[in-house]
Amino acid sequence: MISKENKLLIRRYLYSMINMYGIIPLRHAYHIFSHQNPLLNIEEDDFWEFTMLDQSGQDYNVAGEGELAQVDLDEDDDEEFYLYGDWVLMDLPVDFKRIKALQKNRLYYVPVKDEFLRRENEWYYERTTATEEYRQYLKDSNPGLSDDRLEEAFFEALTQLHAVSYGKTVEETINSIPKALKKMGFNVKDDDEGDLRHLLRRMLDGTRQEALRGRMYKYHNLPSSLELLEREGLTDENVERIHTGELDAAEVADEIAAKAPDLAAQLMTLYQQ
């Protein structure tokens, strides 16, 4: 039996996962939740049951791969079930297949718990120099801009940048924002578009959307991923480093394969999408 408090915590994780990954197999959702909350001792069957029943009253959904891909699966196959939001899969089965293809062989970026749960808010972003420069750009190019219109333009860009998490390419995203701003009535001079796109790319990096697409952070004052994994293997500490992005396992798997093929295989199945 899951307590009311823990049900609320699970919901926070489910929303964070949708905003982080777009879609995620439910078995991985449980793995991440249980890894970050081991003392709660919530069994996987209970997690699944709660999530499946709870979805009817929430803004997230769970469905099998056959339904999402709109294909008939063999009866003997173990069907994968996915957590997703309606706003992610607007056009089935096209969006599902597109995101699955883009996620292939990428490792889930799993930040530490507090950072992870901040993403339950779909509008969460990290305040950086680039975000403030973008606001200033809007003020300078649109004199007399009201605070409401400023926020409208800001969150239009943020919405577009978040779409990178769901499979939209970086270039497609960056190029779409000036067009969207013009359509909304904001002044964007043709001569300024190059500088604006450069600013938006910095903003994209600052909001960590690149990490959400599966690219791990680089921590420079640490031994290399290759050195640690060759020396220590997949210890609990190194698995934790992979989950939080301190080690980029995908980047070194090919180098490890020649010396330790079993270790390389384990790396590429760890949180593989």
Side-chain angles (χ1 to χ4, degrees):
M1 191 70 174
I2 302 177
S3 69
K4 182 178 180 180
E5 181 182 30
N6 289 340
K7 287 178 180 179
L8 293 174
L9 180 61
I10 291 173
R11 287 191 191 116
R12 293 183 66 195
Y13 267 93
L14 296 178
Y15 281 114
S16 297
M17 289 175 192
I18 291 171
N19 291 329
M20 285 277 288
Y21 311 124
I23 62 175
I24 179 174
L26 200 53
R27 61 189 172 91
H28 283 332
Y30 172 73
H31 193 170
I32 292 170
F33 175 82
S34 62
H35 176 77
Q36 293 199 341
N37 301 277
L39 298 180
L40 297 182
N41 292 317
I42 293 176
E43 297 293 333
E44 185 168 6
D45 287 346
D46 293 333
F47 180 91
W48 275 63
E49 180 181 13
F50 167 73
T51 303
M52 298 288 278
L53 293 175
D54 191 55
Q55 63 177 312
S56 62
Q58 300 297 324
D59 290 328
Y60 54 75
N61 302 281
V62 178
E65 184 167 4
E67 178 183 343
L68 296 174
Q70 295 184 3
V71 297
D72 293 326
L73 302 177
D74 293 335
E75 291 183 4
D76 295 334
D77 289 344
D78 289 330
E79 186 174 16
E80 188 85 87
F81 280 78
Y82 287 85
L83 170 72
Y84 70 97
D86 284 337
W87 62 92
V88 179
L89 301 182
M90 299 287 287
D91 182 15
L92 288 175
V94 175
D95 286 343
F96 177 73
K97 292 179 178 178
R98 174 178 55 83
I99 295 175
K100 279 292 294 175
L102 288 163
Q103 287 183 341
K104 186 177 181 182
N105 293 332
R106 285 182 175 150
L107 301 178
Y108 286 109
Y109 166 68
V110 184
V112 295
K113 182 174 178 177
D114 288 347
E115 183 181 338
F116 197 110
L117 290 175
R118 282 199 290 271
R119 286 168 170 81
E120 68 179 306
N121 177 0
E122 63 179 309
W123 297 118
Y124 169 76
Y125 71 96
E126 294 181 21
R127 197 180 187 97
T128 64
T129 302
T131 62
E132 300 316 297
E133 287 181 8
Y134 175 60
R135 279 195 168 93
Q136 191 60 50
Y137 164 84
L138 292 167
K139 291 178 182 177
D140 292 344
S141 56
N142 296 268
L145 192 64
S146 69
D147 289 343
D148 286 346
R149 285 285 280 165
L150 175 63
E151 291 307 297
E152 185 182 352
F154 179 82
F155 282 107
E156 173 62 27
L158 192 64
T159 300
Q160 298 275 6
L161 295 179
H162 278 338
V164 173
S165 302
Y166 310 146
K168 200 171 181 181
T169 68
V170 172
E171 289 307 314
E172 183 184 5
T173 300
I174 297 299
N175 291 333
S176 69
I177 294 174
K179 296 177 183 176
L181 291 174
K182 289 178 181 179
K183 191 173 181 179
M184 295 166 64
F186 292 95
N187 182 34
V188 180
K189 295 180 181 178
D190 292 341
D191 293 344
D192 292 342
E193 280 200 33
D195 291 339
L196 175 57
R197 282 194 288 269
H198 178 69
L199 175 58
L200 291 166
R201 185 176 291 279
R202 288 175 49 223
M203 197 169 154
L204 177 68
D205 293 338
T207 54
R208 295 188 177 178
Q209 299 305 307
E210 284 292 285
L212 308 192
R213 298 172 66 224
R215 297 180 183 178
M216 301 300 186
Y217 296 136
K218 304 295 186 293
Y219 286 71
H220 299 293
N221 296 323
L222 290 170
S224 71
S225 301
L226 184 60
E227 290 169 340
L228 274 173
L229 293 172
E230 281 187 331
R231 184 171 71 236
E232 302 174 9
L234 284 177
T235 62
D236 290 342
E237 291 77 14
N238 283 340
V239 169
E240 176 68 18
R241 290 184 182 116
I242 290 169
H243 292 170
T244 58
E246 291 182 29
L247 297 185
D248 190 342
E251 192 172 88
V252 302
D254 289 341
E255 297 177 71
I256 290 176
K259 300 178 182 178
D262 290 343
L263 176 58
Q266 291 176 53
L267 282 172
M268 292 314 296
T269 56
L270 188 67
Y271 283 127
Q272 194 169 64
Q273 301 190 38

